[in-house]
Amino acid sequence: KAGTSCGLFEQLRSDERLAVSETDGYIVDVIYDEASERLFSLAGDIKGGLSIFHLNMEAAEYVTKIPGSGHTAVVRSMLPLASGSGSSRFVSAGEDGRVCIWATKSLESILAGEEDDVPPVQGSKWNQ
């Protein structure tokens, strides 16, 4: 039955690494890593910062912060793109009007907290 295996991660939003002044963080997306068979959450702060947490049914465990997200406001979505030549690519979009394309060695290296610097390789800002 749908929704019967849901975890409750209220503490994730109030994690001190996501707090900016009086404002809590938020969940942007959830990533399932087939290689490790683990579930992760991409969480953000109101200034565009992004962090990754490992999720299990009991808790959310901090993994790493993604430095230099390329965003200056809330990130609303992150989508994996087809990867090739041993790298992974993602696209993110935020309330700052930016859409950023990311390249990294592998999703596994980010999820394991092994990449210290994952800057966006391309960013564009669209104005309405």
Side-chain angles (χ1 to χ4, degrees), residues 78-92 100-107 110 121-122:
M78 177 77 91
L79 178 70
L81 301 173
S83 59
S85 66
S87 69
S88 294
R89 294 172 82 67
F90 303 88
V91 62
S92 60
C100 297
I101 298 173
W102 304 72
T104 182
K105 293 177 195 163
S106 70
L107 176 60
I110 294 175
V121 292
Q122 197 173 353

Side-chain angles (χ1 to χ4, degrees), residues 61-112:
E61 176 185 328
Y62 177 79
V63 175
T64 190
K65 181 173 180 69
I66 300 176
S69 79
H71 292 282
T72 58
V74 171
V75 176
R76 289 295 180 195
S77 66
M78 177 77 91
L79 178 70
L81 301 173
S83 59
S85 66
S87 69
S88 294
R89 294 172 82 67
F90 303 88
V91 62
S92 60
E95 288 190 4
D96 55 6
R98 291 183 185 268
V99 175
C100 297
I101 298 173
W102 304 72
T104 182
K105 293 177 195 163
S106 70
L107 176 60
E108 291 81 18
S109 62
I110 294 175
L111 297 179

